[in-house]
Amino acid sequence: MIRLGAGRLDRIVAVGAHCDDIAIGAGGTLLTLCHARPGLRVDALVLSGGGTEREQEERAALAAFCPGADLRLTVLKLPDGRMPVHWDEAKAAVEELRAQTDPDLVLAPRTDDAHQDHRGLAQLMPTAFRDHLVLGYEIVKWDGDLGRMAAYQPLSMEIAEEKVRLLQEHYASQRHRPWYDREAFLGLARIRGIECHERYAEAFAATKLTLNLGG
């Protein structure tokens, strides 16, 4: 297993189509980064849920998932499940986010995610963040779209447990869903951990990487 670092990370971007996407897909990575780098700037954008209880959940949750970070969160009001017909609004939001920051890392949905909102947002990211490392997180769901991943962030047992605890604590509106439970989140993290010779991990898709091995 080859381990490559991205150097010092001072700014990251995290985007999601819905409130809880970022936390489910990359919450452990956010916790790991923020514990390691106090003061890290995190610019987060969520396309839907603005003005509802979901936005309140998201603000509390991401504050907990980004301890000690300079968190700047925007939650928009695009209708859930209708992102493709609101393409212009979504694109404008991503472009505005890019104008506000030049991140060292971008966390976003995967381009092959089966959910149209996730997939549409993922397809927008490379057009705005052309010279950045964009890692596509995964979200377990009934579609059965999990696949082979290219990059792994190992999670300590403490971080994996903290992620699950925060997901359960902050997203009360999702607890009724049959897939939203401790077994699902830790189970996927355990599988991804096995794949990278760790106990737990989060896995990411990477469509394009530029290496600097001789630098």
Side-chain angles (χ1 to χ4, degrees):
M1 178 66 65
I2 299 174
R3 295 177 180 265
L4 298 176
R8 179 174 177 81
L9 300 179
D10 296 313
R11 294 187 176 196
I12 69 172
V13 157
V15 300
H18 316 101
C19 296
D20 78 16
D21 285 356
I22 296 170
I24 292 174
T29 297
L30 286 176
L31 285 167
T32 300
L33 286 171
C34 291
H35 282 311
R37 296 174 174 84
L40 175 71
R41 175 168 164 176
V42 179
D43 289 274
L45 170 67
V46 179
L47 296 184
S48 64
T52 71
E53 68 169 344
R54 298 280 277 138
E55 178 178 356
Q56 298 172 12
E57 288 180 342
E58 186 75 340
R59 291 193 178 278
L62 287 191
F65 275 101
C66 301
D70 177 10
L71 174 63
R72 307 179 187 196
L73 170 62
T74 300
V75 183
L76 302 183
K77 299 181 179 181
L78 274 63
D80 187 356
R82 298 292 185 269
M83 189 272 184
V85 298
H86 292 270
W87 184 267
D88 289 345
E89 296 164 75
K91 182 174 178 60
V94 170
E95 294 289 352
E96 182 178 350
L97 175 63
R98 173 65 183 93
Q100 296 170 356
T101 185
D102 185 21
D104 304 301
L105 171 66
V106 177
L107 300 172
R110 297 178 298 131
T111 56
D112 55 354
D113 193 296
H115 194 296
Q116 67 271 17
D117 291 355
H118 301 171
R119 186 172 62 253
L121 176 56
Q123 291 168 348
L124 284 172
M125 300 310 293
T127 67
F129 295 90
R130 293 179 179 273
D131 299 313
H132 302 80
L133 175 60
V134 180
L135 296 180
Y137 56 74
E138 59 183 347
I139 297 177
V140 63
K141 50 189 176 301
W142 72 271
D143 303 83
D145 61 354
L146 300 180
R148 174 173 289 182
M149 305 299 273
Y152 297 83
Q153 171 58 52
L155 306 179
S156 68
M157 186 174 297
E158 293 76 17
I159 290 291
E161 292 283 357
E162 186 177 3
K163 173 184 175 177
V164 173
R165 178 181 64 80
L166 292 177
L167 286 173
Q168 294 289 353
E169 176 181 339
H170 287 287
Y171 295 107
S173 66
Q174 304 303 298
R175 292 176 192 153
H176 70 283
R177 299 185 181 278
W179 54 267
Y180 196 92
D181 60 31
R182 172 187 172 84
E183 287 181 310
F185 299 132
L186 275 185
L188 180 58
R190 180 69 186 109
I191 290 171
R192 296 314 190 190
I194 290 171
E195 293 174 351
C196 66
H197 294 171
E198 297 285 348
R199 182 66 183 176
Y200 296 110
E202 285 177 340
F204 300 89
T207 56
K208 185 183 295 186
L209 295 173
T210 299
L211 303 178
N212 183 22
L213 300 180

